């Protein structure tokens, strides 16, 4: 088996509402918006620009519509209304072409109008009971498969409906200006659901799925160095509640570690989402652990904001204080949002690859064969993070 430093595509099921989960396989999420341009989008009868890394719907009535059509998918996006009152926008999907003389299609729309945010137009059971954050960013996750759809609002289940028509369609952001005010969109990601792949085993780079965790059922499958430092964030994500720890390692190495119980792998692909919950400046970090043999023998990647010999490197702990395996100069671009991380390990060649948001280009790489099969985990040196949607493929 050979690992190459290019886009890594995995077939993996998503953590979705039960009505949608049976027999669904999926590719990895892809970004529909690159943060710089509107490539891949068509702007119809309105004005939209990219400003400070977000899409601004600034004038006119119309759509910012994907050039590509989709049928079954998970759409993950964040939005923010700029008006103090009477804001209005929406996200359209599974719609026919826009009728002549109209700025918008007739269906289906996840509404973003004030007081109706998250409602699915035309479905009495598609009402969102979860309060949105006024004047701030909100995250919606829309899952559409077959005749069914569901929505998560800021990580909480809002509704499930059935009765959609099945057709390939663009996905569109609704501009309704000046009547609805200006809107911002960012972090727009889409995962296509492949009905044909249903029933196949979940794999990544030929490795089977050996562990998955969305923290819906607690943290019983994890062992930590200090249970009191960990808690459930927002009811679901697993995170650190403080920087200090009761655990003091024998050699200089991270203090807060949570390892997957009863699973050891040599070759593996690990994917997860992480959010830094405290800005500590240049050493703002999270850590991913692998090849874990004992408290004094393991690898970890330190995803530090500003690299130096002790930060932002792939490290080894081998009966001595942690030592960098890399001379990485690439900063980790932390902010207060969720980020995607992937770690790829091939024990025979010693290859280690670390990806952060950009799944096509590693943030850092190393080669080391000191440790083979071992445990995998998450944590931090002495910072605070939330973790979610962990998947481990390996053997």
């Amino acid at each position: 088996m050979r690992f190459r430093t290019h886009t890594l595509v995995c077939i993996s099921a998503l953590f979705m509402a039960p009505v949608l989960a049976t027999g669904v396989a999926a590719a990895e999420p892809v970004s529909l918006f690159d943060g710089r341009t509107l490539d891949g989008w068509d702007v119809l009868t309105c004005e939209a620009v990219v400003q400070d890394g977000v899409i601004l719907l600034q004038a006119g009535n119309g759509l910012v519509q994907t050039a590509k059509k989709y049928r079954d998918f998970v759409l993950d996006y964040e939005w923010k209304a700029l008006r103090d009152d009477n804001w209005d926008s929406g996200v359209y999907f599974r719609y026919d072409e826009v009728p002549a003389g109209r700025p918008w299609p007739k269906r289906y729309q996840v509404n973003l109008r004030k007081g109706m945010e998250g409602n699915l137009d035309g479905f009495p059971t598609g009402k969102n009971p979860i309060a949105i954050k006024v004047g701030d960013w909100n995250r919606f996750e829309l899952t559409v498969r077959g005749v069914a759809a569901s929505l998560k609002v800021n990580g909480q289940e809002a509704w499930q409906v059935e009765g959609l028509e099945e057709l390939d369609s663009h996905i569109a952001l609704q501009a309704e200006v000046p009547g609805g005010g200006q809107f911002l969109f960012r972090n727009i990601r889409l995962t296509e659901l492949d009905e044909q792949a249903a029933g196949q085993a979940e794999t990544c780079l030929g490795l089977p799925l050996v562990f998955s965790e969305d923290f819906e059922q607690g943290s019983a499958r994890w062992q930590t160095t200090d249970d009191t430092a960990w808690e459930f964030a927002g009811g679901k994500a697993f995170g650190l509640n403080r920087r200090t720890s009761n655990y003091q390692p024998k050699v200089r190495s991270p203090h807060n570690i949570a390892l997957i119980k009863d699973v050891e792998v040599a070759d593996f692909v690990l994917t997860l989402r992480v959010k830094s919950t405290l800005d500590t400046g240049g050493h703002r970090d999270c850590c991913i652990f692998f090849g874990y043999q004992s408290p004094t023998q393991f690898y970890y990647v330190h995803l530090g904001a500003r690299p130096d010999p002790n930060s932002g490197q792939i490290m080894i702990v081998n009966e001595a204080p942690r030592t960098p395996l890399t001379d990485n100069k690439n900063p980790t671009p932390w902010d207060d949002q969720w980020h995607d991380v992937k770690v790829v390990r091939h024990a025979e060649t010693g290859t280690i690859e670390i990806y952060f948001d950009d799944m096509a280009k590693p943030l850092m790489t190393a080669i080391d064969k000191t440790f083979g099969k071992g445990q995998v985990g998450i944590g931090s040196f002495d910072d605070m993070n939330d973790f979610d949607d962990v998947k481990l493929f390996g053997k």
Side-chain angles (χ1 to χ4, degrees):
M1 178 173 61
R2 298 177 62 189
F3 290 90
R4 298 180 294 276
T5 55
H6 58 86
T7 304
L8 303 173
V9 178
C10 302
I11 302 172
S12 57
L14 297 173
F15 300 108
M16 295 178 292
V19 70
L20 300 175
T22 304
V24 179
E28 285 195 333
V30 297
S31 177
L32 296 184
F33 171 51
D34 62 16
R36 302 180 302 274
T37 70
L38 289 173
D39 291 350
W41 298 83
D42 296 320
V43 181
L44 308 178
T45 70
C46 66
E47 294 180 20
V49 296
V50 177
Q51 187 176 89
D52 298 325
V54 304
I55 297 175
L56 168 63
L57 307 182
Q58 66 178 3
N61 291 331
L63 300 175
V64 179
Q65 174 182 275
T66 59
K68 184 178 176 180
K69 291 185 176 182
Y70 306 92
R71 176 172 292 200
D72 295 338
F73 58 85
V74 178
L75 180 69
D76 192 336
Y77 59 98
E78 295 179 28
W79 63 271
K80 180 180 179 181
L82 296 181
R83 289 189 63 165
D84 295 331
D85 197 7
N86 298 325
W87 54 81
D88 199 351
S89 181
V91 173
Y92 283 97
F93 64 98
R94 288 272 189 93
Y95 59 89
D96 299 321
E97 296 300 322
V98 179
R102 287 177 50 90
W104 312 301
K106 295 181 179 180
R107 59 181 181 184
Y108 298 102
Q109 184 197 51
V110 175
N111 213 324
L112 295 179
R113 182 178 179 179
K114 182 183 178 184
M116 303 174 65
E117 298 95 336
N119 291 355
L120 182 62
D121 291 356
F123 288 81
T125 59
K127 305 296 184 185
N128 170 34
I130 301 165
I132 59 98
K133 295 180 285 187
V134 177
D136 201 352
W137 287 100
N138 292 272
R139 180 186 174 198
F140 281 13
E141 184 179 308
L142 173 67
T143 301
V144 179
R145 184 177 73 86
V147 299
S150 67
L151 183 72
K152 287 185 179 180
V153 174
N154 294 325
Q156 300 183 59
E157 300 286 353
W159 47 255
Q160 299 178 15
V161 303
E162 294 189 14
L164 302 180
E165 285 199 26
E166 297 189 62
L167 72 160
D168 295 336
S169 166
H170 304 284
I171 295 171
L173 314 177
Q174 181 195 34
E176 191 164 352
V177 183
Q182 297 176 337
F183 259 75
L184 302 178
F185 290 88
R186 70 181 185 188
N187 294 336
I188 307 171
R189 304 186 307 165
L190 184 137
T191 305
E192 291 192 78
L193 305 180
D194 184 4
E195 194 75 30
Q196 297 299 319
Q200 294 183 2
E202 297 183 47
T203 63
C204 190
L205 292 178
L207 298 171
L209 180 69
V210 295
F211 179 87
S212 64
E213 178 69 88
D214 62 359
F215 299 106
E216 298 285 338
Q217 306 300 321
S219 60
R221 297 190 292 170
W222 297 81
Q223 63 186 70
T224 74
T225 50
D226 179 3
D227 287 347
T228 65
W230 293 83
E231 64 182 19
F232 289 100
K236 295 181 180 178
F238 194 41
L240 290 159
N241 57 35
R242 64 179 187 270
R243 297 182 65 191
T244 58
S245 173
N246 295 329
Y247 171 71
Q248 297 299 315
K250 293 181 179 179
V251 297
R252 182 67 170 165
S253 56
H255 293 221
N256 281 315
I257 304 173
L259 297 171
I260 300 170
K261 292 181 180 179
D262 304 322
V263 177
E264 293 188 355
V265 288
D267 297 340
F268 71 87
V269 177
L270 174 72
T271 64
L272 57 89
R273 295 194 307 127
V274 61
K275 178 169 67 173
S276 173
T277 57
L278 181 66
D279 187 352
T280 56
H283 277 222
R284 192 177 192 179
D285 78 79
C286 87
C287 296
I288 311 298
F289 304 88
F290 53 98
Y292 191 96
Q293 314 293 307
S294 73
T296 55
Q297 291 185 303
F298 56 91
Y299 297 112
Y300 72 96
V301 55
H302 185 278
L303 290 165
R306 186 171 62 240
D308 62 36
N310 298 316
S311 174
Q313 309 295 334
I314 300 173
M315 303 281 193
I316 185 171
V317 177
N318 192 9
E319 303 292 355
R322 45 86 165 110
T323 303
L325 296 173
T326 50
D327 184 21
N328 174 51
K329 305 297 184 183
N330 297 318
T332 304
W334 288 113
D335 52 26
D336 298 328
Q337 307 303 315
W338 285 97
H339 294 275
D340 295 314
V341 172
K342 177 154 49 185
V343 181
V344 182
R345 167 69 168 164
H346 185 214
E348 184 177 352
T349 62
T351 304
I352 303 168
E353 299 173 354
I354 313 300
Y355 298 79
F356 189 91
D357 283 343
D358 185 349
M359 296 295 111
K361 182 179 179 181
L363 182 72
M364 60 185 100
T365 63
I367 296 177
D368 189 88
K369 299 182 181 180
T370 304
F371 304 133
K373 182 175 288 189
Q375 287 181 276
V376 174
I378 54 179
S380 174
F381 203 103
D382 55 6
D383 269 353
M384 293 171 59
N385 309 98
D386 289 342
F387 297 89
D388 202 0
D389 297 340
V390 179
K391 289 204 169 192
L392 178 64
F393 304 83
K395 65 178 184 180

